Amino acid sequence: MLPDLERLIRLQEIESKAAVAAKAIAEAPGRIAALDALLHDATAALEAAKHALADSKTRRSLIDKDLAAVQQRQAKYKDQLMQVKTNEEFRAMQHQIDAAATEVGAQEEKILLNMMEVDEINATIKKAEAALKAAQAKVGTERGGIEQDVIVQQAVVIECATARASLIGGLNDKGLVDTFARIAKVRGTAVARAEGERCTVCQVRLRPAVFVNVLKNDQIVQCDSCNRILYFIAPQVPKAPEAPPAP
Ligand SMILES: [Zn+2]
């Protein structure tokens, strides 16, 4: 194979590798921010549930206070009932006692509802605590992994830059660097394998005269359609299964 063609193939491998590494580095802050957001949301959910529990307890103490006041009134009316002189006074007092009993019932109903509410909030807190624990574990593992990967990918970028400089320095035809860069800028990649008279990247059929030249691998040939620099490597023929030993 033409040494420059071999260098360009290698250059493409390096560029692709460097691009993958650069993408990983660029995406790392976003991935870490997403983990931070997960932790933040889980913490906020637990705090909200705890806040709801405190509110519910405050409401409960107000209900208890109201209930005690009604019960006090109820006891007072019952005392007064003993001291009434007339039937009319008795009926009026009895009416007050009935009204107080209704109110006690209403307060007790509120207490029941409050207890159910507390049960629900406690269940929510338990779930929120488990979710926070899971989020902390996930963030703990993944954050370290991302940071570690960034260090690895930064080394890959540096390694690729060194390899790129060495390859470019070794090119016999220095103009090929510009050709490569021009195609890569438009197409993303600058080199393509040809197979079965086609460019395997853009899939366009090559003219027989072009393909014959590509087969030789001894010159720089570009795809008529996508302009990529073409090379040929014979496709690997799968090995035929071995014949069973003769009996
Ligand atoms: Zn092509």
Side-chain angles (χ1 to χ4, degrees):
M1 190 182 275
L2 181 74
D4 272 2
L5 183 56
E6 217 167 330
R7 289 186 189 106
L8 293 180
I9 294 168
R10 179 82 190 106
L11 184 60
Q12 183 57 65
E13 284 168 6
I14 288 163
E15 295 293 9
S16 299
K17 194 175 165 190
V20 169
K23 188 165 179 273
I25 293 167
E27 284 174 355
R31 290 174 65 200
I32 287 175
L35 288 177
D36 286 344
L38 187 79
L39 201 56
H40 177 269
D41 289 353
T43 307
L46 180 58
E47 269 172 21
K50 283 182 173 170
H51 203 270
L53 184 64
D55 282 352
S56 189
K57 282 181 175 167
T58 304
R59 280 197 296 279
R60 172 62 191 270
S61 66
L62 291 175
I63 300 167
D64 285 346
K65 219 163 136 190
D66 287 347
L67 178 62
V70 187
Q71 282 170 332
Q72 217 174 348
R73 253 190 298 143
Q74 207 179 19
K76 195 180 78 189
Y77 295 150
K78 277 178 183 167
D79 282 348
Q80 287 173 354
L81 192 63
M82 304 302 160
Q83 295 152 24
V84 295
K85 304 275 191 292
T86 66
N87 253 350
E88 205 171 318
E89 278 175 354
F90 181 85
R91 270 198 304 276
M93 195 48 68
Q94 191 61 55
H95 181 72
Q96 298 275 40
I97 289 169
D98 289 348
T102 306
E103 213 180 313
V104 166
Q107 295 301 336
E108 284 173 346
E109 176 76 22
K110 280 189 192 171
I111 288 174
L112 208 64
L113 288 173
N114 182 273
M115 285 165 74
M116 285 160 67
E117 185 184 75
V118 167
D119 281 350
E120 264 178 44
I121 296 171
N122 277 328
T124 306
I125 288 176
K126 254 195 184 141
K127 267 192 220 164
E129 280 171 344
L132 178 59
K133 218 174 160 185
Q136 282 167 334
K138 183 181 162 73
V139 171
T141 330
E142 292 187 13
R143 195 193 173 97
I146 294 168
E147 285 166 351
Q148 204 56 44
D149 188 49
V150 166
I151 294 169
V152 171
Q153 299 305 334
Q154 280 167 341
V156 169
V157 168
I158 293 169
E159 192 185 291
C160 286
T162 310
R164 183 190 295 127
S166 148
L167 274 170
I168 290 173
L171 281 171
N172 293 320
D173 179 354
K174 302 293 179 199
L176 286 174
V177 182
D178 293 336
T179 309
F180 184 99
R182 215 169 32 242
I183 304 166
K185 195 178 172 191
V186 179
R187 302 288 181 183
T189 56
V191 177
R193 191 166 58 84
E195 187 187 315
E197 297 191 2
R198 281 178 194 280
C199 165
T200 57
V201 180
C202 76
Q203 299 300 334
V204 166
R205 181 167 284 277
L206 305 168
R207 282 178 289 128
V210 173
F211 189 61
V212 163
N213 284 336
V214 174
L215 282 178
K216 293 185 216 154
N217 276 334
D218 64 355
Q219 54 188 295
I220 300 299
V221 181
Q222 289 176 250
C223 171
D224 285 336
S225 173
C226 71
N227 270 335
R228 287 185 180 88
I229 297 157
L230 297 167
Y231 66 95
F232 179 80
I233 288 174
Q236 294 286 317
V237 180
K239 268 189 193 167
E242 281 178 31

